[in-house]
């Protein structure tokens, strides 16, 4: 085969790889293309079995007085949250939702626990989700800095003597774990991380292998360059496993051992890496983000243990 033919084939192959990578990137990272229906299908959790349970709690939750709140990110995005104020307002949980979800969706069931334990709840819409601005998903790397802004909002609203808990689910869990490596204010007493991943790079590699049946190379590398240029961060620039190694904030890790979307081994790695006081709840048979519904009593017992340990 002539050299120019080989070069043409290699060029065509490279262009095809670029197109595949761009397609994957657009479906994953660009707000308008990242669909909640696709996420739910990939996660594989059967939410229909909990429909009555969720509906009952949602009715009580929405009956509680609540207000929209807004802040600005460091890069000028208008970010939205919903605040549920409770009694003396000195115990606050900041809740971070999962990928393609929004603040008012992922904590409907848990609202009973927190409101009954005299917590005010701040449910944030992460950038490029819900009512918050943003074209590109932050995957925790950008959102961790936004969490610092929400913590400051809670301090201003509830006073310097308030005690703050961070609770994240899936991408929200990765967000709060990535934030744990930062210098957090003394008011932040603890973290709950439910089915969090280590980094965008590692979770995308898993998804490509297990769900798209594709090799990660060169898709991840091409998508990483795109993301640095468009969204301003690399896919392994902030890695939760590295960040928790610097953490001083007591942390409860929760994960279902049947999670096929964010594999259980990521939670094991995060737990091993965490330098702070830590606890871990493994929920047998639970799929992605299903742990609270699968074992409500054990989940709440684990929360009780954490809150007692951190003086909340």
């Amino acid at each position: 085969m002539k050299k120019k033919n080989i070069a043409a084939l290699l060029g065509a192959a490279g262009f095809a790889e670029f197109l595949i990578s761009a397609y994957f990137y657009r479906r994953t990272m660009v707000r308008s293309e990242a669909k909640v229906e696709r996420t739910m299908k990939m996660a594989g959790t059967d939410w229909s079995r909990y429909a009555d349970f969720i509906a009952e709690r949602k009715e009580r939750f929405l009956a509680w007085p609540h207000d929209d709140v807004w802040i600005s990110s460091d890069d000028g995005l208008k970010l939205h949250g919903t605040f549920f104020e409770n009694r003396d307002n000195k115990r606050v949980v900041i809740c971070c939702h999962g990928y393609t979800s929004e603040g008012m969706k992922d904590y409907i069931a848990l609202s009973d626990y927190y409101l009954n334990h005299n917590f005010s709840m701040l449910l944030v819409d992460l950038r490029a989700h819900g009512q918050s601005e943003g074209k590109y998903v932050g995957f925790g790397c950008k959102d961790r800095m936004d969490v610092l802004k929400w913590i400051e909002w809670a301090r201003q609203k509830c006073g310097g003597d308030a005690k703050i808990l961070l609770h994240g689910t899936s991408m929200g869990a990765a967000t709060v774990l990535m934030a744990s490596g930062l210098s957090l204010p003394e008011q932040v007493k603890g973290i709950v991380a439910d089915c969090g991943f280590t980094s965008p790079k590692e979770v995308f590699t898993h998804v490509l292998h297990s769900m798209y049946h594709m090799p990660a190379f060169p898709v991840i590398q091409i998508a990483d360059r795109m993301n640095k240029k468009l969204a301003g961060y690399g896919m392994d620039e902030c890695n939760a496993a590295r960040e928790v190694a610097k953490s001083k904030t007591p942390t409860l890790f929760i994960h279902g051992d049947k999670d096929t979307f964010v594999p259980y081994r990521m939670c094991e790695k995060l737990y091993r890496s965490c330098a702070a006081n830590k606890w871990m709840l493994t929920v047998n048979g639970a799929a992605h983000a299903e742990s609270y519904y699968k074992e409500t009593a054990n989940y709440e017992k684990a929360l009780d243990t954490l809150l007692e340990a951190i003086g909340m």
Side-chain angles (χ1 to χ4, degrees), residues 155-173:
R155 291 173 66 196
Q156 293 294 325
K157 172 69 176 179
C158 304
D161 57 342
K163 296 180 179 180
I164 299 172
L165 181 70
L166 306 179
H167 191 141
T169 301
S170 192
M171 187 180 74

Side-chain angles (χ1 to χ4, degrees), residues 46-114:
D46 182 8
W47 292 109
S48 63
R49 68 178 65 182
Y50 307 113
D52 291 342
F53 178 73
I54 293 171
E56 178 186 339
R57 295 210 167 183
K58 183 177 182 178
E59 184 177 0
R60 289 200 296 271
F61 185 38
L62 295 182
W64 197 278
H66 53 281
D67 296 298
D68 292 320
V69 295
W70 303 89
I71 62 169
S72 294
S73 68
D74 288 333
D75 52 351
L77 296 178
K78 188 176 181 182
L79 304 178
H80 171 262
T82 309
F83 186 61
F84 291 74
E85 193 165 356
N86 201 344
R87 297 187 187 178
D88 62 5
N89 224 17
K90 295 304 179 184
R91 307 172 85 197
V92 185
V93 58
I94 300 176
C95 301
C96 298
H97 60 79
Y99 175 60
T100 68
S101 187
E102 57 186 80
M104 288 292 285
K105 288 184 177 178
D106 285 6
Y107 292 88
I108 291 171
L110 272 162
S111 63
D112 259 33
Y113 178 87
Y114 280 123

